[in-house]
Amino acid sequence: MKKTTYRISIGILFLLALLINVVAWNSRDFSDFYRKYIFQKVSPIQSGINNVFSCSIGEVMILIGLFLVVLLLFTILALAVLREKKWVQKTGRCYLKTFIMILAILSLVMTSNCFVAYHASDFETIYMPHVEDREYTVEELILVRDYVIEQANALADTFERDERGYIIYDEEEIKEQAKREMKRMGEQYPLLKGYYPSPKPIAASKFLSQQYMLGYYFPFSMEANYNKQMYVVNMPATMCHELSHLKGFMYEDDANFIGYLACISSDDAFFRYSGYVSMLDYLNNALFENLGGNVEAYLQYKQCDILVAYDNMFLTKEAWEEVEETAVFDTETVKKASHTFVETNLNLNGIEEGLANYGRVVEYLLKYYDGVLYEKKTVS
């Protein structure tokens, strides 16, 4: 009876996860309903409980998961070698059953806390339907890029800096301000309303740096995690980006754009600066690509001031040296492995362009400034 109950429980969990995924893939209405009435009700509860702890619960879960996988390998080996030991066989089979049960539960949690939201309507569809879908010109791209550069240039020399030229800003204050900005965003964009936990630093930020990752949303604990090694200018936009995932905006271009809007509309000049700087690489790459990779032609257009170019960094020189000194694995190898993992995850969730999805934020910017920096074209 116990064996039958176990098998039925496992079957129900896996089947439910599969069923929810299938429905989500085939019904955007279902995914939108789920995000609004289920995900956004569960997220504050789960993230609020985990917010009691200062450390990243998600990171602890990863360590436990690695331990369980290693234990699984030892268990399989023991079952194969010590066949005559009844206690080993009994204990081993018990662990295998437990591991499969954990896997079934995790598959359902991952589906509920992440996968479904990938199939919900994006930010553009919900909050920018009035702007016509059209091909924007290179001239319009240049206007947006020039505007963002001008804003960043105007702010760059207004902050306190240390002897190396690095901006000084309290990390704890950034975390609190990020929560305030996201709550304020909820006044204009209802799906962003509600509770926000404090973003949490990843203890293994050096390893995260080797993956060139600024932050990470952990579905199992519903936490917004960030890389504490990154240069401080990245923190406001990154924290707002990761917090947006807690409201069910899983697309990276959505999160990038929400983080940008939260920052540039802030009363805090440092947040505005972070927002503008966060878009520079996307806009520069888009212009460079549209110019056919012609360096001379690219350099004819407006460029960032030296301070902005200096601040547009992932890690400081000193932080990179610290990362490399303590690295267990080669950074290039870790970066490639991370790239493959993220690309695969995005593809499996129906995002065919994979990591290129991060750059789609330029399209959002072109729509957002349509009618502000150039003639607006609306749907009739």
Side-chain angles (χ1 to χ4, degrees), residues 313-332:
M313 69 175 91
F314 173 41
L315 265 64
T316 65
K317 176 185 175 182
E318 293 78 10
W320 266 125
E321 289 175 352
E322 188 178 346
V323 167
E324 295 298 344
E325 284 174 3
T326 57
V328 177
F329 304 103
D330 176 67
T331 295
E332 192 60 32

Side-chain angles (χ1 to χ4, degrees), residues 41 69 112 119 156 182 287 344:
K41 298 296 185 294
V69 170
S112 303
H119 305 289
M182 291 302 294
L287 177 59
T344 302

Side-chain angles (χ1 to χ4, degrees), residues 12-14 16-18 20-21 34 38-39 42-43 46 50 61 101-118 217-223 250 349:
I12 289 175
L13 289 170
F14 278 123
L16 187 56
L18 177 61
I20 294 174
N21 270 295
Y34 184 91
I38 300 177
F39 183 97
V42 173
S43 176
Q46 192 170 340
N50 290 325
M61 288 180 172
M101 177 60 78
I102 292 173
L103 200 61
I105 294 171
L106 292 181
S107 68
L108 184 57
V109 173
M110 189 68 176
T111 294
S112 303
N113 292 359
C114 185
F115 291 163
V116 175
Y118 270 114
Y217 162 67
F218 198 76
F220 302 112
S221 59
M222 287 191 156
E223 292 174 303
M250 294 300 163
N349 281 285

Side-chain angles (χ1 to χ4, degrees), residues 85-221:
K85 302 288 186 180
K86 290 184 178 181
W87 69 271
V88 172
Q89 296 295 312
K90 183 178 180 180
T91 304
R93 290 193 183 95
C94 181
Y95 179 69
L96 287 178
K97 288 181 178 180
T98 302
F99 188 87
I100 294 172
M101 177 60 78
I102 292 173
L103 200 61
I105 294 171
L106 292 181
S107 68
L108 184 57
V109 173
M110 189 68 176
T111 294
S112 303
N113 292 359
C114 185
F115 291 163
V116 175
Y118 270 114
H119 305 289
S121 298
D122 58 24
F123 189 88
E124 176 186 8
T125 301
I126 301 170
Y127 294 118
M128 303 171 70
H130 59 286
V131 185
E132 181 183 6
D133 285 323
R134 65 182 180 89
E135 290 291 326
Y136 287 90
T137 65
V138 176
E139 288 70 25
E140 288 166 331
L141 169 63
I142 291 168
L143 286 172
V144 173
R145 178 179 174 274
D146 284 356
Y147 174 78
V148 171
I149 288 176
E150 287 168 3
Q151 299 304 308
N153 286 348
L155 290 166
D157 63 353
T158 63
F159 308 110
E160 181 183 359
R161 295 175 182 266
D162 64 17
E163 67 280 359
R164 296 164 298 185
Y166 301 148
I167 291 178
I168 301 171
Y169 207 101
D170 183 67
E171 188 174 322
E172 290 301 315
E173 175 54 32
I174 296 175
K175 289 160 65 173
E176 292 304 310
Q177 185 69 22
K179 291 194 294 182
R180 289 194 289 267
E181 301 301 349
M182 291 302 294
K183 287 179 181 178
R184 177 183 54 77
M185 285 284 285
E187 298 172 6
Q188 184 174 358
Y189 306 105
L191 283 176
L192 295 175
K193 279 184 178 179
Y195 168 81
Y196 286 95
S198 294
K200 293 183 180 182
I202 292 286
S205 285
K206 293 177 183 177
F207 184 63
L208 204 66
S209 296
Q210 288 187 285
Q211 301 171 59
Y212 286 77
M213 290 186 68
L214 294 166
Y216 187 75
Y217 162 67
F218 198 76
F220 302 112
S221 59

